[in-house]
Amino acid sequence: MAVTVKGFGVCMKSELWIAVRSSSTYLAILLPSTIAVVYLAMSRISELAIEARKQFTNVEIPIGEDYSTGYGHLVDGMLVTLAAVVLIVTTYAAWSFANDCRTGTVRHLITRVASRNAVILAKVVTIHVIACLAFVLAFAIAYLLAGSLWTYESVVEDGYELIGEMEIRSEILYGLGLATITIPACIALGSLVSVSASSPVQSTVAILAILVIYGFFQPYFGSYAEYCFLTFTPLLFDASYLREVSEIVRGYSDVYISDQTVRLNLWIPVVQAIGFLVLTYFVTERRRL
Protein backbone atom coordinates (compact mmCIF):
# COMPACT_ATOMS: atom_id res chain seq x y z
CA MET A 1 0.00 0.00 0.00
CA ALA A 2 1.56 3.29 -1.12
CA VAL A 3 1.88 6.18 1.26
CA THR A 4 0.33 9.31 -0.25
CA VAL A 5 0.36 12.82 1.15
CA LYS A 6 -1.78 14.54 -1.47
CA GLY A 7 -2.87 17.96 -0.34
CA PHE A 8 -0.28 18.27 2.44
CA GLY A 9 0.35 21.93 1.60
CA VAL A 10 -3.35 22.77 1.84
CA CYS A 11 -3.69 20.90 5.13
CA MET A 12 -0.59 22.62 6.51
CA LYS A 13 -1.92 26.06 5.61
CA SER A 14 -5.24 25.17 7.20
CA GLU A 15 -3.62 23.96 10.44
CA LEU A 16 -1.40 27.06 10.69
CA TRP A 17 -4.33 29.36 9.92
CA ILE A 18 -6.35 27.79 12.72
CA ALA A 19 -3.37 27.75 15.12
CA VAL A 20 -2.58 31.44 14.61
CA ARG A 21 -6.20 32.42 15.29
CA SER A 22 -6.84 30.02 18.17
CA SER A 23 -6.47 31.17 21.77
CA SER A 24 -5.66 27.59 22.81
CA THR A 25 -2.45 27.76 20.74
CA TYR A 26 -1.24 30.83 22.60
CA LEU A 27 -2.20 29.20 25.88
CA ALA A 28 -0.17 26.11 24.97
CA ILE A 29 2.85 28.28 24.12
CA LEU A 30 2.64 30.65 27.09
CA LEU A 31 1.55 28.25 29.85
CA PRO A 32 4.97 26.50 30.25
CA SER A 33 6.69 29.89 30.52
CA THR A 34 4.17 31.00 33.13
CA ILE A 35 4.77 27.82 35.11
CA ALA A 36 8.54 28.42 34.96
CA VAL A 37 8.12 31.98 36.26
CA VAL A 38 5.83 30.91 39.10
CA TYR A 39 8.07 27.98 40.08
CA LEU A 40 11.29 30.01 40.15
CA ALA A 41 9.63 32.91 41.98
CA MET A 42 8.21 30.57 44.63
CA SER A 43 11.62 28.90 45.03
CA ARG A 44 13.24 32.26 45.66
CA ILE A 45 10.52 33.38 48.07
CA SER A 46 10.90 30.11 49.98
CA GLU A 47 14.64 30.65 50.28
CA LEU A 48 14.21 34.23 51.49
CA ALA A 49 11.69 33.05 54.09
CA ILE A 50 14.13 30.43 55.38
CA GLU A 51 16.97 32.95 55.49
CA ALA A 52 14.78 35.40 57.40
CA ARG A 53 13.78 32.72 59.89
CA LYS A 54 17.42 31.79 60.47
CA GLN A 55 18.34 35.44 60.97
CA PHE A 56 15.68 36.11 63.60
CA THR A 57 15.87 32.79 65.47
CA ASN A 58 19.60 32.02 65.11
CA VAL A 59 18.66 28.40 64.47
CA GLU A 60 20.40 26.29 61.84
CA ILE A 61 17.85 25.04 59.35
CA PRO A 62 19.22 22.34 57.03
CA ILE A 63 16.54 22.89 54.39
CA GLY A 64 17.31 25.23 51.52
CA GLU A 65 21.07 25.66 52.05
CA ASP A 66 21.97 25.46 48.34
CA TYR A 67 21.93 29.16 47.35
CA SER A 68 25.36 29.44 45.74
CA THR A 69 24.41 29.03 42.09
CA GLY A 70 21.39 29.56 39.88
CA TYR A 71 22.12 26.63 37.58
CA GLY A 72 20.49 24.10 39.89
CA HIS A 73 17.33 26.17 40.10
CA LEU A 74 17.38 26.66 36.32
CA VAL A 75 17.43 22.88 35.79
CA ASP A 76 14.64 22.38 38.32
CA GLY A 77 12.59 25.00 36.53
CA MET A 78 13.21 23.38 33.16
CA LEU A 79 12.14 19.98 34.52
CA VAL A 80 8.79 21.44 35.59
CA THR A 81 8.49 23.36 32.33
CA LEU A 82 9.28 20.39 30.10
CA ALA A 83 6.76 18.29 32.01
CA ALA A 84 4.16 20.94 31.18
CA VAL A 85 5.21 21.01 27.50
CA VAL A 86 5.00 17.21 27.25
CA LEU A 87 1.55 17.06 28.86
CA ILE A 88 0.21 19.91 26.73
CA VAL A 89 1.44 18.74 23.31
CA THR A 90 0.69 15.07 23.97
CA THR A 91 -2.84 15.84 25.09
CA TYR A 92 -3.35 18.22 22.17
CA ALA A 93 -2.12 15.58 19.72
CA ALA A 94 -4.55 13.07 21.22
CA TRP A 95 -7.45 15.51 21.05
CA SER A 96 -6.85 17.10 17.65
CA PHE A 97 -7.62 14.41 15.04
CA ALA A 98 -10.41 12.85 17.11
CA ASN A 99 -12.08 16.25 17.45
CA ASP A 100 -11.80 16.96 13.71
CA CYS A 101 -13.39 13.58 13.00
CA ARG A 102 -16.26 14.47 15.33
CA THR A 103 -16.86 17.82 13.65
CA GLY A 104 -16.54 16.40 10.14
CA THR A 105 -13.49 18.49 9.20
CA VAL A 106 -11.40 15.46 8.27
CA ARG A 107 -14.11 14.04 6.03
CA HIS A 108 -14.44 17.39 4.26
CA LEU A 109 -10.69 17.53 3.58
CA ILE A 110 -10.23 13.98 2.35
CA THR A 111 -13.22 14.14 0.00
CA ARG A 112 -12.00 17.36 -1.62
CA VAL A 113 -8.29 18.14 -1.50
CA ALA A 114 -6.21 15.84 0.70
CA SER A 115 -5.38 12.29 1.69
CA ARG A 116 -5.76 10.95 5.21
CA ASN A 117 -1.99 10.79 5.65
CA ALA A 118 -1.63 14.44 4.64
CA VAL A 119 -4.13 15.46 7.32
CA ILE A 120 -2.27 13.52 10.01
CA LEU A 121 1.17 14.72 8.88
CA ALA A 122 0.05 18.36 8.86
CA LYS A 123 -1.25 18.02 12.42
CA VAL A 124 1.95 16.33 13.61
CA VAL A 125 4.14 19.05 12.05
CA THR A 126 1.98 21.83 13.51
CA ILE A 127 2.14 20.34 17.00
CA HIS A 128 5.94 20.09 16.70
CA VAL A 129 6.06 23.78 15.81
CA ILE A 130 3.94 24.63 18.87
CA ALA A 131 6.17 22.45 21.08
CA CYS A 132 9.34 24.14 19.77
CA LEU A 133 7.94 27.64 20.35
CA ALA A 134 6.78 26.74 23.86
CA PHE A 135 10.13 25.19 24.77
CA VAL A 136 12.32 27.97 23.36
CA LEU A 137 10.26 30.71 25.00
CA ALA A 138 10.16 28.90 28.35
CA PHE A 139 13.90 28.21 28.33
CA ALA A 140 14.75 31.82 27.49
CA ILE A 141 12.49 33.20 30.22
CA ALA A 142 13.68 30.65 32.80
CA TYR A 143 17.33 31.40 32.00
CA LEU A 144 16.89 35.15 32.36
CA LEU A 145 14.78 34.89 35.51
CA ALA A 146 17.05 32.37 37.25
CA GLY A 147 20.03 34.57 36.41
CA SER A 148 18.32 37.60 37.96
CA LEU A 149 17.19 35.79 41.12
CA TRP A 150 20.43 33.86 41.67
CA THR A 151 24.00 33.97 40.37
CA TYR A 152 25.36 31.79 37.58
CA GLU A 153 28.79 30.65 38.76
CA SER A 154 30.95 27.63 39.41
CA VAL A 155 30.24 25.44 42.43
CA VAL A 156 33.00 26.05 44.97
CA GLU A 157 33.38 24.38 48.36
CA ASP A 158 36.20 25.23 50.80
CA GLY A 159 38.06 27.04 48.05
CA TYR A 160 37.94 24.03 45.71
CA GLU A 161 35.99 24.17 42.47
CA LEU A 162 33.72 21.12 42.32
CA ILE A 163 32.38 21.87 38.83
CA GLY A 164 33.10 24.77 36.49
CA GLU A 165 30.64 26.86 34.52
CA MET A 166 31.64 25.42 31.15
CA GLU A 167 31.03 21.88 32.39
CA ILE A 168 27.76 22.93 34.02
CA ARG A 169 26.43 24.47 30.81
CA SER A 170 27.56 21.44 28.82
CA GLU A 171 25.68 19.09 31.16
CA ILE A 172 22.55 21.25 31.05
CA LEU A 173 22.49 21.35 27.25
CA TYR A 174 23.17 17.62 27.06
CA GLY A 175 20.38 16.90 29.53
CA LEU A 176 17.96 19.16 27.65
CA GLY A 177 18.84 17.39 24.41
CA LEU A 178 18.19 13.93 25.88
CA ALA A 179 14.89 15.19 27.33
CA THR A 180 13.58 16.97 24.24
CA ILE A 181 14.37 14.03 21.96
CA THR A 182 11.45 12.23 23.62
CA ILE A 183 8.87 14.90 22.67
CA PRO A 184 8.35 13.63 19.07
CA ALA A 185 7.60 10.17 20.49
CA CYS A 186 5.04 11.73 22.86
CA ILE A 187 3.37 13.54 19.96
CA ALA A 188 3.40 10.37 17.86
CA LEU A 189 1.83 8.39 20.71
CA GLY A 190 -0.84 11.07 21.12
CA SER A 191 -1.58 10.92 17.39
CA LEU A 192 -1.91 7.13 17.51
CA VAL A 193 -4.37 7.35 20.39
CA SER A 194 -6.26 10.12 18.57
CA VAL A 195 -6.80 8.10 15.37
CA SER A 196 -7.76 5.02 17.40
CA ALA A 197 -10.35 6.71 19.63
CA SER A 198 -13.97 7.28 18.75
CA SER A 199 -14.24 10.70 20.43
CA PRO A 200 -11.94 13.51 21.62
CA VAL A 201 -12.93 12.91 25.24
CA GLN A 202 -12.01 9.24 24.96
CA SER A 203 -8.64 10.01 23.37
CA THR A 204 -7.77 12.69 25.94
CA VAL A 205 -8.64 10.47 28.89
CA ALA A 206 -6.76 7.55 27.35
CA ILE A 207 -3.51 9.45 26.80
CA LEU A 208 -3.56 10.97 30.29
CA ALA A 209 -4.24 7.53 31.75
CA ILE A 210 -1.26 6.10 29.86
CA LEU A 211 1.09 8.80 31.14
CA VAL A 212 -0.09 8.62 34.76
CA ILE A 213 -0.36 4.83 35.02
CA TYR A 214 3.06 4.28 33.48
CA GLY A 215 4.55 6.78 35.90
CA PHE A 216 3.16 4.91 38.90
CA PHE A 217 4.23 1.46 37.71
CA GLN A 218 7.58 2.40 36.16
CA PRO A 219 9.65 1.53 39.28
CA TYR A 220 8.32 -2.04 39.16
CA PHE A 221 9.66 -2.60 35.63
CA GLY A 222 13.27 -2.41 36.76
CA SER A 223 15.82 -2.27 33.94
CA TYR A 224 13.09 -3.06 31.39
CA ALA A 225 11.72 0.46 31.92
CA GLU A 226 14.67 1.80 29.91
CA TYR A 227 13.12 0.28 26.79
CA CYS A 228 10.17 2.68 26.97
CA PHE A 229 10.65 6.30 25.92
CA LEU A 230 8.41 7.56 28.75
CA THR A 231 11.15 6.61 31.21
CA PHE A 232 13.32 9.36 29.76
CA THR A 233 10.51 11.90 29.33
CA PRO A 234 10.38 14.70 31.93
CA LEU A 235 7.16 14.02 33.81
CA LEU A 236 6.12 13.74 37.43
CA PHE A 237 7.70 10.29 37.59
CA ASP A 238 10.70 9.71 35.35
CA ALA A 239 14.35 8.74 35.21
CA SER A 240 15.42 11.39 32.73
CA TYR A 241 19.07 12.42 32.56
CA LEU A 242 18.02 16.02 33.13
CA ARG A 243 16.84 15.06 36.62
CA GLU A 244 20.35 13.80 37.36
CA VAL A 245 21.82 16.99 35.91
CA SER A 246 20.01 18.86 38.69
CA GLU A 247 22.31 17.08 41.14
CA ILE A 248 25.43 17.29 38.96
CA VAL A 249 25.30 21.09 38.62
CA ARG A 250 25.07 21.36 42.40
CA GLY A 251 28.42 19.63 42.75
CA TYR A 252 27.31 16.14 43.75
CA SER A 253 29.95 13.75 42.41
CA ASP A 254 28.17 10.48 43.25
CA VAL A 255 25.68 10.78 40.36
CA TYR A 256 26.23 8.01 37.82
CA ILE A 257 24.41 7.30 34.56
CA SER A 258 25.55 4.26 32.58
CA ASP A 259 26.54 4.60 28.93
CA GLN A 260 23.91 2.01 28.03
CA THR A 261 21.17 4.15 29.59
CA VAL A 262 22.33 7.18 27.60
CA ARG A 263 22.41 5.14 24.37
CA LEU A 264 18.88 3.87 25.02
CA ASN A 265 17.79 7.44 25.74
CA LEU A 266 19.14 8.43 22.32
CA TRP A 267 17.64 5.59 20.27
CA ILE A 268 14.50 4.30 21.99
CA PRO A 269 12.45 7.53 21.56
CA VAL A 270 13.38 7.73 17.86
CA VAL A 271 12.56 4.09 17.13
CA GLN A 272 9.29 4.18 19.06
CA ALA A 273 8.25 7.49 17.47
CA ILE A 274 8.67 5.92 14.03
CA GLY A 275 6.75 2.85 15.19
CA PHE A 276 3.86 4.98 16.48
CA LEU A 277 3.70 6.90 13.20
CA VAL A 278 3.62 3.67 11.18
CA LEU A 279 0.79 2.34 13.35
CA THR A 280 -0.99 5.68 13.01
CA TYR A 281 -0.78 5.33 9.22
CA PHE A 282 -2.31 1.84 9.20
CA VAL A 283 -5.06 2.74 11.67
CA THR A 284 -5.92 5.90 9.72
CA GLU A 285 -6.16 4.02 6.45
CA ARG A 286 -8.58 1.49 7.91
CA ARG A 287 -10.84 3.49 10.19
CA ARG A 288 -14.22 4.88 9.14
CA LEU A 289 -14.48 8.64 9.10
Side-chain angles (χ1 to χ4, degrees), residues 42 63 84 158 164 171 218 220 237 240 242 255 280-281 287:
M42 290 181 65
I63 301 175
D158 297 329
E171 287 291 342
Q218 176 188 312
Y220 299 101
F237 309 95
S240 63
L242 188 60
V255 178
T280 300
Y281 162 72
R287 72 165 290 173

Side-chain angles (χ1 to χ4, degrees), residues 57-193:
T57 61
N58 293 322
V59 176
E60 290 293 329
I61 302 176
I63 301 175
E65 292 289 346
D66 180 27
Y67 306 150
S68 59
T69 175
Y71 287 114
H73 297 284
L74 172 63
V75 175
D76 292 343
M78 288 313 302
L79 278 167
V80 175
T81 301
L82 278 172
V85 171
V86 168
L87 288 172
I88 289 170
V89 299
T90 306
T91 304
Y92 182 76
W95 172 85
S96 182
F97 185 83
N99 182 67
D100 284 356
C101 287
R102 180 184 64 82
T103 59
T105 304
V106 173
R107 181 178 299 177
H108 177 77
L109 287 171
I110 65 176
T111 55
R112 290 178 178 269
V113 295
S115 65
R116 300 183 180 205
N117 299 312
V119 175
I120 288 293
L121 184 59
K123 288 185 177 297
V124 169
V125 173
T126 302
I127 296 171
H128 275 84
V129 172
I130 293 173
C132 288
L133 291 175
F135 171 74
V136 171
L137 180 62
F139 179 76
I141 291 177
Y143 183 83
L144 293 174
L145 183 60
S148 63
L149 295 178
W150 295 277
T151 303
Y152 289 137
E153 58 187 2
S154 304
V155 178
V156 179
E157 183 176 340
D158 297 329
Y160 176 75
E161 185 178 84
L162 299 178
I163 182 170
E165 280 199 78
M166 290 297 294
E167 188 177 356
I168 288 174
R169 293 179 179 179
S170 176
E171 287 291 342
I172 291 175
L173 292 177
Y174 191 49
L176 285 174
L178 291 177
T180 54
I181 200 175
T182 64
I183 293 180
C186 293
I187 295 174
L189 176 60
S191 299
L192 176 59
V193 172

